[in-house]
């Protein structure tokens, strides 16, 4: 049995706990939060702690720690957990800066622990089918791709906690909302050559951007277009990922990028494409991505391999976002080394 602990008992922690409870060979043994009120519902069910090091010292049977705190705290917490040689699952983004993200990877390697980053959208049925045809070379040479996040986050969302919308602890629409879509964009399109972007804070009273748009040139020569906004009235409109190649065009859309809108390949009939779209529509979310990540961590420990979504996967979108924000601030193209 692989024993898990949660650090940070806020909203997202409930998804982690549900994933652990549904995973064979996994069990939750501890929850840690600096706010005792958040721990009340776990009293008597698991061990509870208000101090991380106290938990790491006293919970001797612990194997994996899931970090679910505000993003600006991730690197410091990972450093502490890694020093006790516990495996780690860290929520997205893995950190708010490239430097902190790289430090997390280094700390995991130095202490010989497994590191997984929570990018659950890779496990949605439509995205898994898209990956199958991509790996099979169905697109031919890639032309370009489009990643769009048109969501609503009202002022009340940011007012829920003082860290929301801050540069130090939260990040803006690119880092907090669009990062899942950007992870998918990079997963399919590969390394980035350069970016050029604009960003603005149009409606919300926050430190960070609520609107951003950018253009990417990938090392392959393909282009990418990014649009990300939390300014959409009055509710979430869409999240979509479109990929275009010589012999294929696909658009995955819906409010959370989980339905097939376009599925055109030269060797796939309209009937086959429609059948696949209906299959996805019947179960658009599939097994929860958090559960897939937890299951994979259990398997990685038992099989002594690396998690399928590891530190480098978490670093890539952070590097992309940092470049986009640098370009937006300077008004210049940013070229990757």
């Amino acid at each position: 049995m692989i024993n898990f602990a949660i650090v940070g008992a806020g909203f997202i922690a409930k998804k982690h706990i549900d994933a652990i409870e549904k995973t064979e060979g996994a069990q939750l043994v501890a929850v840690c939060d600096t706010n005792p009120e958040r721990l009340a519902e776990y009293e008597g069910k698991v061990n509870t702690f208000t101090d991380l090091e106290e938990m790491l010292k006293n919970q001797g049977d612990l194997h994996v720690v899931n970090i679910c705190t505000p993003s600006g705290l991730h690197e410091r917490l990972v450093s502490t957990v890694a020093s006790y040689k516990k495996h780690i699952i860290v929520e997205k983004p893995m950190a708010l800066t490239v430097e902190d993200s790289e430090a997390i990877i280094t700390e995991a390697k130095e202490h010989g622990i497994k590191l997984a980053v929570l990018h659950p959208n890779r496990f949605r049925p439509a995205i898994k089918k898209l990956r199958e045809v991509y790996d099979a070379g169905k697109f031919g040479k890639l032309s370009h791709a489009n990643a769009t996040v048109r969501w609503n986050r009202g002022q009340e969302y940011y007012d829920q906690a003082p860290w929301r919308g801050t540069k130090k602890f939260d990040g803006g629409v690119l880092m907090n909302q669009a990062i899942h879509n950007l992870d998918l964009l990079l997963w399919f399109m590969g390394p980035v050559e350069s970016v050029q972007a604009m960003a603005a804070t149009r409606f919300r009273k926050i430190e960070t951007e609520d609107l951003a748009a950018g253009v990417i040139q990938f090392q392959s020569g393909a282009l990418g277009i990014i649009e990300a906004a939390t300014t959409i009235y009055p509710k979430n409109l869409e999240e979509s990922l479109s990929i275009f190649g010589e012999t294929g065009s696909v658009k995955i859309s819906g409010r959370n990028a989980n339905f097939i809108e376009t599925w055109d390949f030269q060797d796939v009939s309209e009937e086959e494409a429609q059948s696949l779209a209906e299959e996805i529509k019947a179960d658009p979310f599939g097994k929860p991505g958090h559960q897939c990540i937890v299951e994979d961590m259990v398997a990685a420990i038992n099989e002594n391999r690396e998690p399928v979504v590891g530190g480098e996967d978490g670093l890539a979108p952070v590097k992309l976002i940092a470049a986009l924000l640098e370009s937006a601030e300077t008004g210049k193209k940013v070229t990757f080394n």
Side-chain angles (χ1 to χ4, degrees):
M1 186 66 69
I2 304 299
N3 295 328
F4 285 76
I6 298 292
V7 177
F11 167 78
I12 201 65
K14 298 185 185 304
K15 288 191 175 184
H16 286 251
I17 292 171
D18 185 61
I20 294 165
E21 290 176 344
K22 290 180 178 178
T23 297
E24 185 177 351
Q27 66 178 355
L28 181 69
V29 297
V31 177
C32 178
D33 196 290
T34 56
N35 184 348
E37 294 181 3
R38 287 206 187 111
L39 297 174
E41 65 179 291
Y42 305 108
E43 295 286 352
K45 300 176 183 177
V46 297
N47 294 328
T48 56
F49 300 88
T50 56
D51 182 84
L52 176 58
E53 291 216 51
E54 180 187 357
M55 181 185 76
L56 293 168
K57 289 175 181 177
N58 295 322
Q59 193 71 50
D61 60 348
L62 186 59
H63 300 107
V64 184
V65 175
N66 291 31
I67 296 177
C68 308
T69 64
S71 306
L73 300 174
H74 287 178
E75 192 279 327
R76 177 170 63 82
L77 296 174
V78 166
S79 181
T80 300
V81 173
S83 70
Y84 283 82
K85 298 189 183 301
K86 307 300 181 184
H87 305 298
I88 295 169
I89 296 176
V90 61
E91 257 295 340
K92 63 78 187 171
M94 66 186 297
L96 292 178
T97 67
V98 173
E99 293 76 16
D100 281 354
S101 300
E102 290 175 337
I104 286 173
I105 294 171
T106 298
E107 288 155 358
K109 289 179 179 177
E110 287 180 347
H111 293 284
I113 63 169
K114 301 186 189 303
L115 171 67
V117 183
L118 221 302
H119 283 296
N121 292 18
R122 294 189 183 199
F123 300 93
R124 288 182 176 171
I127 299 300
K128 289 169 69 176
K129 289 292 185 182
L130 177 56
R131 189 70 199 190
E132 287 178 13
V133 295
Y134 172 85
D135 288 340
K138 297 288 188 180
F139 283 96
K141 184 178 180 180
L142 293 174
S143 164
H144 67 291
N146 184 293
T148 301
V149 178
R150 295 169 175 164
W151 284 353
N152 172 276
R153 294 292 184 273
Q155 190 62 45
E156 65 279 3
Y157 167 84
Y158 296 102
D159 292 342
Q160 290 178 41
W163 55 268
R164 288 187 182 272
T166 63
K167 293 181 179 179
K168 185 175 181 180
F169 294 110
D170 189 27
V173 62
L174 288 170
M175 193 69 81
N176 199 5
Q177 281 80 31
I179 192 167
H180 289 308
N181 206 252
L182 299 184
D183 167 63
L184 295 179
L185 182 69
L186 293 169
W187 194 35
F188 287 101
M189 301 302 290
V192 173
E193 176 70 25
S194 64
V195 303
Q196 193 147 13
M198 292 185 179
T201 307
R202 296 293 296 158
F203 297 160
R204 313 307 174 208
K205 296 177 181 179
I206 55 178
E207 292 181 352
T208 54
E209 81 287 350
D210 59 12
L211 173 65
V215 178
I216 302 172
Q217 182 174 25
F218 295 97
Q219 289 182 12
S220 66
L223 301 181
I225 302 166
I226 295 170
E227 177 193 341
T230 53
T231 58
I232 305 305
Y233 178 84
K235 58 187 177 182
N236 290 0
L237 177 62
E238 72 167 307
E239 177 187 8
S240 65
L241 177 70
S242 303
I243 298 178
F244 304 99
E246 287 180 295
T247 54
S249 296
V250 168
K251 182 178 182 180
I252 308 296
S253 63
R255 290 187 181 178
N256 297 100
N258 50 3
F259 295 97
I260 293 176
E261 182 175 327
T262 301
W263 191 272
D264 291 328
F265 295 96
Q266 63 180 11
D267 59 349
V268 176
S269 68
E270 290 187 16
E271 291 76 15
E272 289 174 308
Q274 183 62 35
S275 176
L276 177 60
E278 292 298 325
E279 177 187 334
I280 297 299
K281 187 176 180 180
D283 184 20
F285 289 99
K287 181 185 293 185
H290 283 70
Q291 184 179 343
C292 294
I293 294 287
V294 170
E295 288 179 350
D296 179 69
M297 176 60 82
V298 170
I301 293 171
N302 289 331
E303 298 167 9
N304 193 26
R305 61 165 174 81
E306 291 303 306
V308 295
V309 186
E312 295 295 334
D313 298 293
L315 172 62
V318 174
K319 288 180 70 174
L320 173 58
I321 292 166
L324 290 166
L325 292 176
E326 180 184 344
S327 175
E329 183 176 347
T330 63
K332 299 178 180 179
K333 178 189 289 188
V334 174
T335 302
F336 279 49
N337 293 327

